[in-house]
Amino acid sequence: MLLDAMMMEARKGLMERERERDQFPVGMRVLAVDDDPVCLKVLEVLLRRCQYHVTTTNQAATALRLLRENKDMFDLVISDVHMPDMDGFKLLELVGLEMDLPVIMLSVNGETKSVLKGITHGACDYLLKPVRIEELRNVWQHVVRRKFSNREPNNNLDLCKEISKPPSADSYHRLGQATCDSHRSCDQSNRAGKKRKEPHSEEEDDGEDNDDAAGSKKPRVVWSVELHRKFVAAVNQLGIDKAVPKRILELMNVEKLTRENVASHLQKYRLYLRRLSAVASQQASIAAAFGGRDPFLHMGAFEGLHSYHQPFAPSAALPSFNPHGLLSSAGAAAFGLQDLASPKANQCSSSNGIASHCAGDTEKFHIVSLQDNQQADLSQGLTASSLGQPQLQQKWIHQETNDLCSVISGGALANTMSGTLQRVTSSSLPPEDLLECTPHIKVGAHPSIGIPTGSSGLLERSVGVSANLRDSCISQQCALPISEGFSVNKLPLHIPFDGTGVTKLDASFVAGEQEMDQKGIFLERMSVSVCPSESLIVASNAKCRASSSGSIILPLPRDTERHSKYLQFGAASNSRHRMDGMRQDQRLNSGGFSYDGGAIVPEQTDMYDLGVPKLQGGFNSSSCNFDGLLNSIIKVVKTSVMLKISLFMTVIFPLKSLFSKPMFLEF
Amino acid sequence: MFLCDIESIKGHLDEQFRQVEDLQDEASPNFVEEVVVVFFKDSGRLISNLEQALEKYPRDFNRWDAYMQQLKGSCSSIGASRMKNECMSFRDNCGQRSVEGCMGSLQKLKREHAILRQKLESYFQLLRQVGPAGAATRPAM
């Protein structure tokens, strides 16, 4: 063995790195990041013992720099979770998004929530310290697995051949760029056969030309902010459920970008959104600062939320929405009204939680998702998960409209409600808490929330919720006198995505009167989006600014008899989620999910023209996660920023709509 | 015979230390001692930071816990089991918000730290005296 080791050393000295790489996994290039010098030293030697090529650094910033400078320099990253200069999860996200490299987390802490956090942030593996060499010997599988799942099925065989073919300067390069390839063949590639797992054992005498499989010698695609923004814009335009790589590629119109690149990026994007919505769900449940007095509870509409009942919801300060099985989070989201004085709310307390709250004297409806203490806890997690972008505070702008209020309260609030957005801000929520709820989300698909990945917090918060009240129950229960002439103006919300304010989400209220396809049913949709703390502009002006990726559409029942309330949370609502033909003339483009940019929704000039906001931007519309939607709606409202949330409360899910149709959010 | 098997040091060092010893080879001839030196330097710093934090941030259990987590990581990596146990007990005390408990754990931790340092210093000294021949008797794995 000593002799072997010596020979290996000699070989290394003689051959270039390419030579090693051709004997993958020998020579696999690993970047190890850990602020603990003891651990780093041991890890380095352990990895060397596995015949990997190791680079170590004790600073996450250095690691990022190394990775960014030369995209093809490493195959795998191993990072500690607790580091002083940057949270390991944040580094994990950045690496996964920017470089598409497998990342393995290391930690002393093996708590479930921590591991879960790693998973949801995209870690390939999560190892506990002290790391044993046996665990490290197999880490190369993560590199290979990623490449396989990213390639077309017909390419997989070629990939195997590449791995096993005789050394060439390009072989490794091509292997590296295989990660850019399409992800769509994932299933197929998995079926491709077990022997693919052992690429190095593939026969080496295959003389087939692998150039076709590898394609041209493209460098690894770096998803810059600009590029990602285009990507998100394309996805939004297509609609998250219809966003296929080919079309996205066409829309993006970027030279030298392949469908495979787009496909693999899309895959990651979806994962990201999923995580956000999960976080949002958690938030919604937590945000249940709703008192149990909301009559909304009794609304039959809640029943539609049965399926969304989240087990974890009860843990949050959810109001007594549970009777209806309404997701506590959903309910909370709907009624995340806090202690805001709303004496007048009782006017409309009949059916509409929103109504009841709208009528508040102060007209301040805060959707409180997190109390300060909760915020504090949560912020840790979120901060951790934020990607190097300014931590976007989760702020939801809840837009109130005079019209809505008046409608809800029968006119009493007409003057009180203004087109101000209620800005619920909460410090970053710890994704881990949110993530914990993830397993419980049974909604179905994953919410894809077009939230810029600028910060995990942002993402989580930016779940747009478009709530369309369309529940006749509501109307029945609602004693709100809805004036005929009620018209909700459209409030465009500009939502800058993050501190940099790059992305803007346009949220607008749907003019129920205009939009309602149903007769006499007034639907208002309010889009609320989370806005980053800095960019959130909460003002009692017509402009609603919110940085969020979602829009909350709160339909305002006009016809109490037969309007159905449908709370749609459409963080990524696209046309598919349009409620029965509601006009969607608003598009909310969620910003990029990893960069500050993202789709920038044109600002609506007419604030009070309600239109159906259409959230786009990477939302999967396959299924609706009301929890997430509600959660996203629920935000902690900073006392300094008081927004009036009237429509927000109308989170009522029709029984059928939720289940039969894909909702805005795909979870 | 690995160091962690020697009676006098059993309990202070565990299997992980054996792994570390295993890693020493011709490529890294002084690996174990290097790691140990780094460990004591780093852990000394961490303990000192922690002591300062105990004073400067009274009852800031979260902060204390975070400090201790770092130290626990180092201890696990090198196999310093008794120290690691004290780390865990300190963190338990943080969880229970017991200042006295934390103080007590810290004192024990410092004691174990000193003991371990002493034992390892003796050990390496012995190794140097024995010379390369003595080192070669250890299984190179």
Side-chain angles (χ1 to χ4, degrees):
Chain A
M1 177 157 173
L2 282 178
L3 199 58
D4 290 345
M6 285 165 62
M7 281 183 64
M8 179 57 67
E9 284 298 312
R11 281 175 71 183
K12 281 183 190 169
L14 277 173
M15 315 309 272
E16 292 304 322
R17 212 182 286 179
E18 284 79 9
R19 192 63 176 260
E20 291 175 357
R21 293 202 296 257
D22 294 328
Q23 295 154 23
F24 188 88
V26 170
M28 186 175 77
R29 301 158 304 168
V30 182
L31 176 63
V33 191
D34 194 339
D35 68 315
D36 179 348
V38 176
C39 179
L40 194 61
K41 194 168 171 68
V42 174
L43 185 63
E44 180 182 0
V45 177
L46 279 172
L47 288 167
R48 291 232 163 87
R49 183 59 71 88
C50 298
Q51 299 180 1
Y52 302 142
H53 189 277
V54 189
T55 307
T56 62
T57 173
N58 61 355
Q59 298 233 330
T62 309
L64 267 181
R65 192 168 49 79
L66 282 173
L67 289 165
R68 283 171 175 157
E69 272 172 12
N70 187 342
K71 309 155 202 61
D72 285 333
M73 206 152 73
F74 299 102
D75 303 304
L76 178 75
V77 179
I78 299 183
S79 168
D80 186 32
V81 167
H82 302 278
M83 289 190 288
D85 65 329
M86 186 191 294
D87 184 67
F89 293 119
K90 187 160 122 184
L91 176 66
L92 160 63
E93 272 179 356
L94 283 171
V95 173
L97 289 166
E98 290 184 31
M99 294 111 202
D100 191 22
L101 283 176
V103 182
I104 293 177
M105 304 306 293
L106 277 184
S107 177
V108 185
N109 183 2
E111 288 170 17
T112 303
K113 64 175 181 178
S114 200
V115 177
L116 189 59
K117 191 169 167 186
I119 294 171
T120 55
H121 282 76
C124 294
D125 206 348
Y126 194 106
L127 303 178
L128 293 190
K129 292 184 186 179
V131 185
R132 296 189 311 279
I133 196 167
E134 298 81 17
E135 294 172 306
L136 293 176
R137 281 198 201 282
N138 280 334
V139 291
W140 62 265
Q141 65 179 285
H142 299 294
V143 177
V144 176
R145 184 180 298 125
R146 187 170 282 239
K147 290 179 182 156
F148 273 137
S149 65
N150 282 349
R151 287 176 76 87
E152 297 281 0
N154 52 318
N155 284 343
N156 281 333
L157 190 54
D158 296 325
L159 178 62
C160 290
K161 291 173 190 162
E162 277 185 25
I163 291 173
S164 58
K165 78 175 190 182
S168 86
D170 293 326
S171 63
Y172 206 76
H173 184 75
R174 260 183 256 152
L175 268 184
Q177 69 115 38
T179 59
C180 304
D181 289 350
S182 166
H183 73 101
R184 305 179 106 219
S185 61
C186 184
D187 295 310
Q188 292 160 332
S189 67
N190 288 339
R191 293 197 306 263
K194 296 225 172 14
K195 71 172 181 177
R196 298 237 174 97
K197 304 286 186 218
E198 296 288 331
H200 53 278
S201 64
E202 287 276 319
E203 54 188 9
E204 302 207 17
D205 58 357
D206 183 11
E208 208 173 279
D209 184 13
N210 290 319
D211 280 342
D212 296 336
S216 59
K217 298 176 179 41
K218 304 188 288 288
R220 188 193 295 269
V221 173
V222 172
W223 283 87
S224 65
V225 173
E226 182 63 32
L227 198 60
H228 184 71
R229 198 166 52 73
K230 281 189 183 165
F231 169 82
V232 175
V235 172
N236 289 344
Q237 192 175 337
L238 291 168
I240 189 63
D241 56 328
K242 286 205 182 94
V244 291
K246 185 160 181 285
R247 301 275 349 254
I248 296 173
L249 187 62
E250 287 167 12
L251 283 173
M252 283 177 72
N253 192 24
V254 170
E255 247 183 47
K256 295 185 185 165
L257 193 68
T258 69
R259 192 185 61 78
E260 288 76 17
N261 300 145
V262 173
S264 71
H265 195 70
L266 179 65
Q267 189 183 31
K268 284 183 291 181
Y269 188 54
R270 287 207 170 113
L271 189 68
Y272 204 66
L273 296 178
R274 217 168 280 162
R275 193 164 51 76
L276 289 178
S277 67
V279 169
S281 304
Q282 169 73 23
Q283 289 183 24
S285 60
I286 295 175
F290 221 84
R293 48 175 202 255
D294 199 314
F296 209 46
L297 294 175
H298 306 292
M299 306 186 78
F302 284 89
E303 294 177 12
L305 294 172
H306 288 312
S307 68
Y308 298 94
H309 180 67
Q310 300 298 330
F312 59 85
S315 62
L318 294 175
S320 51
F321 288 149
N322 294 326
H324 293 272
L326 178 64
L327 292 174
S328 49
S329 60
F335 307 110
L337 302 178
Q338 212 184 16
D339 55 343
L340 303 173
S342 59
K344 290 196 235 165
N346 298 326
Q347 282 187 19
C348 7
S349 63
S350 53
S351 60
N352 224 327
I354 294 178
S356 58
H357 296 286
C358 281
D361 207 6
T362 62
E363 299 164 3
K364 312 235 172 190
F365 300 102
H366 302 275
I367 293 183
V368 181
S369 58
L370 303 167
Q371 298 301 329
D372 285 342
N373 54 349
Q374 285 173 331
Q375 274 185 348
D377 297 336
L378 293 176
S379 58
Q380 289 173 12
L382 281 183
T383 318
S385 57
S386 69
L387 305 175
Q389 299 288 338
Q391 184 68 32
L392 295 174
Q393 296 182 19
Q394 303 177 356
K395 299 178 189 180
W396 286 96
I397 297 183
H398 306 295
Q399 195 170 23
E400 294 180 340
T401 62
N402 289 327
D403 298 331
L404 286 174
C405 290
S406 54
V407 171
I408 293 173
S409 60
L413 299 174
N415 54 344
T416 56
M417 304 300 285
S418 61
T420 59
L421 295 175
Q422 177 164 11
R423 178 178 173 193
V424 182
T425 64
S426 60
S427 47
S428 53
L429 294 175
E432 57 194 14
D433 294 349
L434 297 169
L435 295 175
E436 285 177 355
C437 305
T438 308
H440 303 292
I441 296 178
K442 307 278 190 281
V443 177
H446 301 276
S448 60
I449 302 170
I451 297 173
T453 58
S455 73
S456 62
L458 175 62
L459 286 175
E460 292 154 3
R461 312 274 173 128
S462 58
V463 174
V465 178
S466 61
N468 281 320
L469 291 181
R470 240 185 20 175
D471 189 327
S472 54
C473 318
I474 296 179
S475 57
Q476 288 159 6
Q477 299 183 18
C478 180
L480 292 176
I482 297 176
S483 57
E484 282 291 325
F486 183 97
S487 65
V488 180
N489 295 333
K490 187 188 311 183
L491 291 173
L493 295 178
H494 299 279
I495 302 159
F497 256 124
D498 55 14
T500 63
V502 176
T503 37
K504 298 192 174 204
L505 292 181
D506 204 5
S508 63
F509 287 94
V510 178
E513 179 176 10
Q514 305 158 14
E515 309 313 340
M516 291 313 296
D517 55 337
Q518 305 173 22
K519 294 180 269 186
I521 292 181
F522 186 90
L523 267 183
E524 286 185 9
R525 278 166 259 161
M526 173 163 68
S527 344
V528 176
S529 54
V530 182
C531 56
S533 52
E534 293 90 350
S535 52
L536 184 61
I537 299 178
V538 178
S540 53
N541 53 28
K543 285 286 185 184
C544 299
R545 286 189 168 275
S547 61
S548 79
S549 57
S551 67
I552 302 175
I553 302 174
L554 299 177
L556 192 66
R558 186 221 269 204
D559 182 342
T560 58
E561 279 85 46
R562 49 197 171 106
H563 104 252
S564 60
K565 296 182 186 101
Y566 195 105
L567 181 64
Q568 278 184 354
F569 291 93
S573 65
N574 49 30
S575 52
R576 260 179 79 182
H577 297 303
R578 246 178 311 181
M579 307 310 281
D580 295 343
M582 271 197 262
R583 174 165 65 87
Q584 291 185 346
D585 52 12
Q586 297 288 338
R587 286 184 174 217
L588 281 184
N589 289 328
S590 57
F593 70 107
S594 63
Y595 306 93
D596 60 358
I600 295 186
V601 179
E603 182 170 333
Q604 299 287 327
T605 52
D606 182 2
M607 290 294 297
Y608 293 92
D609 175 28
L610 289 183
V612 178
K614 180 173 173 180
L615 283 177
Q616 288 183 343
F619 292 114
N620 294 331
S621 56
S622 58
S623 68
C624 178
N625 184 341
F626 287 100
D627 273 347
L629 290 171
L630 291 171
N631 289 328
S632 61
I633 300 177
I634 297 175
K635 295 299 171 185
V636 178
V637 178
K638 280 190 180 169
T639 54
S640 61
V641 178
M642 303 287 279
L643 294 179
K644 305 175 183 183
I645 303 176
S646 53
L647 303 180
F648 228 93
M649 297 174 266
T650 57
V651 178
I652 301 178
F653 297 93
L655 283 168
K656 292 181 185 165
S657 318
L658 292 182
F659 297 92
S660 60
K661 290 187 190 178
M663 303 304 295
F664 291 133
L665 286 186
E666 173 184 281
F667 290 84
Chain B
M1 173 68 91
F2 288 100
L3 185 60
C4 57
D5 294 330
I6 297 175
E7 279 308 318
S8 67
I9 210 154
K10 239 182 198 170
H12 293 270
L13 292 173
D14 61 20
E15 178 67 23
Q16 176 63 20
F17 194 80
R18 180 193 295 253
Q19 298 246 345
V20 171
E21 288 189 288
D22 264 350
L23 292 176
Q24 180 158 305
D25 57 12
E26 279 61 22
S28 330
N30 299 314
F31 179 65
V32 182
E33 192 170 356
E34 286 167 10
V35 172
V36 167
V37 165
V38 172
F39 170 73
F40 279 110
K41 187 166 136 197
D42 193 56
S43 56
R45 179 182 63 86
L46 289 173
I47 289 176
S48 153
N49 286 351
L50 181 56
E51 283 185 306
Q52 286 174 20
L54 285 175
E55 259 185 76
K56 195 168 158 194
Y57 306 99
R59 297 193 69 83
D60 190 344
F61 293 105
N62 288 341
R63 185 188 293 262
W64 298 356
D65 186 80
Y67 273 104
M68 188 50 82
Q69 190 159 24
Q70 289 183 45
L71 186 54
K72 184 183 167 198
S74 295
C75 296
S76 332
S77 297
I78 204 175
S81 51
R82 285 213 188 149
M83 278 185 70
K84 186 170 84 173
N85 291 341
E86 288 309 325
C87 291
M88 297 202 290
S89 124
F90 181 94
R91 298 189 71 201
D92 286 342
N93 282 311
C94 283
Q96 292 162 22
R97 306 183 71 81
S98 155
V99 177
E100 298 76 26
C102 288
M103 296 298 186
S105 289
L106 183 60
Q107 292 312 314
K108 286 196 207 148
L109 178 68
K110 287 168 69 175
R111 205 157 46 234
E112 291 299 334
H113 185 242
I115 292 172
L116 186 63
R117 187 203 294 261
Q118 202 178 14
K119 288 193 186 284
L120 283 173
E121 274 176 2
S122 313
Y123 170 67
F124 287 119
Q125 210 166 16
L126 188 64
L127 276 187
R128 276 191 286 274
Q129 285 173 7
V130 173
T137 59
R138 297 219 326 272
M141 297 303 289

